[in-house]
Amino acid sequence: RDWSSDVCSSDLYINPETKTVTRAGRLFKWVEKYNSDKPADRRITYVADITTQHLTEWRASWSLSSDTTSAQRWTRVKEFYNFCERQGWIADSPARKLKNISVAKGNRTTIFTEEQYCQILNAIPLYDPENVPLVTRRAWQQRLTVFTELLRWSGMAPVDAVLYHPSLIDAEGVLTYRRKKTGELAIVPLPEYVRMLLRDIPLERDSVGPEMPFRSRTSDLFSDTRKWEHRYEALFRLAGITEVKTDHRIRKPHPYMFRATFAVWYLDRKSVV
């Protein structure tokens, strides 16, 4: 079997009917680059041509943001070669001879501390934007408060919160929504005071209406989401939050961290219970 019909990485996609590559994977791309300056008798043509040395060179070329990402990718590579071995395409996996990528201990998830979250909420009354319609300014702080509490206590990504509509919450106060990114179903009981905030969401001038209070009639979903992200950039500055630290890195604050804050809080709460 040659490279045009083998799955050589988890992000390689092949048309099952024509067997043509519709998107090359990382290993596939590396092999093409490797072959570009090699004589014909040294080029990689078959899966069985790949040696442990080839994999060592390929892995050394990775430039990933974290050791966890590298470790996860290497696990997928090993799984692929185990599959090739079971299929009888190779006699022995060349990945088996290489050590796993070590992962340093410590927290990597960037979340807001309770103090930072309080700073964010306290900064909302200070956020009085210029150059926006008067009807929007009147409701600005309340809308931002509702959106912020929804992000924090629902686990929603910003795009999911933009798509919020009241029918997602049942009579018991349980929020059920399908994540835009993955299509997975999320079921989250909301605190009573958050449910109360959601019962009275003031609208902006171009809002769709009470049925979709955070969507605009004049913008697409991407633009609506980016609009809220820009608002949080300003809010974080007002709150004096310029960075969020973990055991391994420092990142600039962004609204997706509300989702991570909820997730870590929820897992800690479950472990105590």
Side-chain angles (χ1 to χ4, degrees), residues 4-5 13-22:
S4 65
S5 58
Y13 292 90
I14 297 176
N15 187 306
E17 296 180 358
T18 65
K19 304 300 182 183
T20 57
V21 176
T22 57

Side-chain angles (χ1 to χ4, degrees), residues 156 163-178 185-186 190 198-199 201 209-213:
M156 284 178 154
L163 290 170
Y164 166 82
H165 51 90
S167 60
L168 295 177
I169 302 177
D170 65 16
E172 302 300 321
V174 177
L175 171 70
T176 302
Y177 68 97
R178 197 168 292 279
L185 195 66
L190 293 176
L198 291 169
R199 293 187 190 116
I201 305 174
E211 67 277 14
M212 292 201 77

Side-chain angles (χ1 to χ4, degrees), residues 251-269:
R251 298 186 65 187
K252 292 182 178 180
H254 59 78
Y256 288 87
M257 289 180 182
F258 289 116
R259 174 174 165 77
T261 302
F262 165 81
V264 171
W265 168 83
Y266 183 75
L267 291 174
D268 288 345
R269 182 169 173 266

Side-chain angles (χ1 to χ4, degrees), residues 150-163:
L150 179 61
L151 289 177
R152 165 61 181 83
W153 295 103
S154 68
M156 284 178 154
V159 65
D160 298 320
V162 169
L163 290 170

Side-chain angles (χ1 to χ4, degrees), residues 68-82:
T68 53
T69 304
S70 297
Q72 290 167 359
R73 180 183 292 183
W74 182 244
T75 297
R76 292 196 296 269
V77 172
K78 290 175 62 179
E79 289 172 351
F80 165 70
Y81 275 103
N82 288 339

Side-chain angles (χ1 to χ4, degrees), residues 210-255:
E211 67 277 14
M212 292 201 77
F214 299 119
R215 284 287 279 121
S216 303
R217 295 190 307 271
T218 57
S219 303
D220 59 23
L221 180 59
F222 175 80
S223 298
D224 274 350
T225 304
R226 284 297 298 151
K227 177 173 64 180
W228 281 99
E229 291 174 356
H230 287 311
R231 291 174 178 179
Y232 279 105
E233 290 173 3
L235 181 61
F236 294 145
R237 287 194 295 270
L238 287 171
I241 301 174
T242 58
E243 58 186 31
V244 179
K245 298 180 180 180
T246 70
D247 294 332
H248 293 277
R249 58 179 176 173
I250 299 175
R251 298 186 65 187
K252 292 182 178 180
H254 59 78

